[in-house]
Amino acid sequence: MASSQSQLKIFSGTSHPELAQLIARRLGLPLGQSSIVVLPSGELSVTFHESVRESDVYIVATASSDETGTNGALMELCIMAHTLRIASARRITAVVPHFPYARQDKKDKSRAPITAKLVANMLVRGAGIDHVITMDLHASQIQGFFDIPLYAEPTMLQYLRETMGKEIHNAVIVSPDAGGAKRASSMAASLDLDFALFHKERKKANEIARMVLVGNVEGKTAILIDDMADTCGTLALAAKHLLAGGAKAVLALVTHGILSGPALKVLGESKIEKLIVTNSIPQRAHKEGCDRLREIDVSHVLAEAVRRSHYGESVSALFHSVPWTEVSKEN
């Protein structure tokens, strides 16, 4: 446990400096001074412009950013952590709201890697990171790789209550697949709403063969809940089936808005009225390309996790409640 007398410092990689600034501001701290330069050879050069000796240091980075690709952000994080380790930082924590390679969490076919475990080992054993703070991992079985797995659910629940008003009582929570059923059913129980789910069969990754709706959505606003939206194919197909099943409107609420490839085009042509994502990944460019996209700020949850970790306090309260009332960003 870090001493409460050790100095708390926040640094940022290039993948999400805006989120790092929001976290630092909520903690009443300046963002640490560092620079990351891409050399002509393609290698990275990392420099810290202030002392970190005996400090409790937090590095904010994320995957799937438009600013910095996943592999580049991961390498940045490893080099930054290694630099801090040999500069005598007391403790190093990575704040990675969207964890890289989280979907590659099991050996699902012959000669397949478990890349999520490899990345966890790279960070902890290779780069010397003491703790990892992350949010809404793709599968519960990889939570054991990390010290502080946070959840966006309390913030999402508050957003729905604040924005939907009385309409929330005529809604149904829907999981687009069986894997997300636990997450969606938990939210449905918290809101005292009905729950439905889709059984889907995939031809291959990101390509759905068939979806079957299980549950009643007739005359209700369907709220799709998922941990991430990549190409949006699953969400768009689910919305089509929900309207065919009698739903009067479809919203989607997702923690990590990756929105790669044709995602914005798919979203724009879909029946989804709004896609609400958190700012675990930078969304500025995505919002400029799609007027259906809304963003929820989760920096208050991450900042409070950092504060509690620094002072040795329990973070379990953050699994069920939000630390502050402000949850939405200006759209």
Side-chain angles (χ1 to χ4, degrees), residues 148-327:
I148 310 175
L150 299 174
Y151 303 94
E153 180 179 322
T155 306
M156 290 178 167
L157 289 170
Q158 185 173 340
Y159 176 88
L160 290 174
R161 291 185 180 112
E162 290 181 353
T163 59
M164 291 191 69
K166 293 182 179 180
E167 180 60 27
I168 192 71
H169 301 298
N170 189 39
V172 56
I173 302 295
V174 184
S175 173
D177 56 35
K182 184 176 180 180
R183 179 188 303 108
S185 62
S186 173
M187 291 189 68
S190 297
L191 295 167
D192 194 24
L193 297 176
D194 290 336
F195 163 69
L197 64 83
F198 281 97
H199 169 70
K200 68 181 181 183
E201 298 173 358
R202 288 186 181 273
K203 292 180 180 177
K204 55 185 179 180
N206 289 333
E207 188 175 338
I208 308 299
R210 191 166 67 98
M211 294 184 76
V212 179
L213 177 62
V214 181
N216 180 31
V217 299
E218 190 168 355
K220 298 179 179 181
T221 298
I223 305 172
L224 285 160
I225 304 293
D226 210 349
D227 64 313
M228 63 179 69
D230 191 350
T231 59
C232 288
T234 297
L235 293 177
L237 187 57
K240 180 180 177 181
H241 283 290
L242 287 167
L243 291 175
K248 67 176 185 178
V250 180
L251 311 177
L253 196 57
V254 173
T255 305
H256 308 299
I258 301 171
L259 305 179
S260 63
L264 296 182
K265 181 176 184 291
V266 171
L267 180 60
E269 294 174 352
S270 74
K271 303 298 183 180
I272 299 171
E273 290 190 0
K274 284 193 297 185
L275 172 63
I276 302 111
V277 301
T278 74
N279 61 339
S280 65
I281 298 170
Q283 297 297 333
R284 183 175 301 174
H286 296 154
K287 288 194 294 184
E288 290 174 356
C290 182
D291 59 5
R292 299 188 192 184
L293 192 62
R294 302 291 183 271
E295 185 179 14
I296 303 175
D297 182 16
V298 291
S299 65
H300 56 308
V301 179
L302 296 168
E304 182 64 5
V306 168
R307 189 195 68 78
R308 288 174 180 247
S309 174
H310 176 65
Y311 289 108
E313 300 174 11
S314 171
V315 298
S316 59
L318 299 178
F319 298 168
H320 311 290
S321 60
V322 291
W324 292 293
T325 57
E326 180 185 346
V327 298

Side-chain angles (χ1 to χ4, degrees), residues 15-16 19-20 23 59-64 77 94-100 102 132-138 146 148-152 227-228 255-257 278-282 298-299 301-302:
S15 57
H16 206 343
L19 180 61
I23 292 171
I59 310 169
V60 180
T62 197
S64 305
L77 180 57
V95 182
V96 190
H98 180 220
F99 193 79
V132 178
I133 298 173
T134 188
M135 178 170 278
D136 277 4
L137 290 163
H138 183 63
F146 311 102
I148 310 175
L150 299 174
Y151 303 94
D227 64 313
M228 63 179 69
T255 305
H256 308 299
T278 74
N279 61 339
S280 65
I281 298 170
V298 291
S299 65
V301 179
L302 296 168

Side-chain angles (χ1 to χ4, degrees), residues 79-113:
I79 296 174
M80 291 179 78
H82 173 71
T83 306
L84 291 167
R85 179 59 64 201
I86 61 178
S88 301
R90 174 174 293 187
R91 188 176 70 165
I92 304 166
T93 302
V95 182
V96 190
H98 180 220
F99 193 79
Y101 294 95
R103 283 177 285 186
Q104 297 185 32
D105 57 352
K106 58 185 178 294
K107 190 175 178 68
D108 56 358
K109 57 180 180 287
S110 178
R111 295 177 296 280

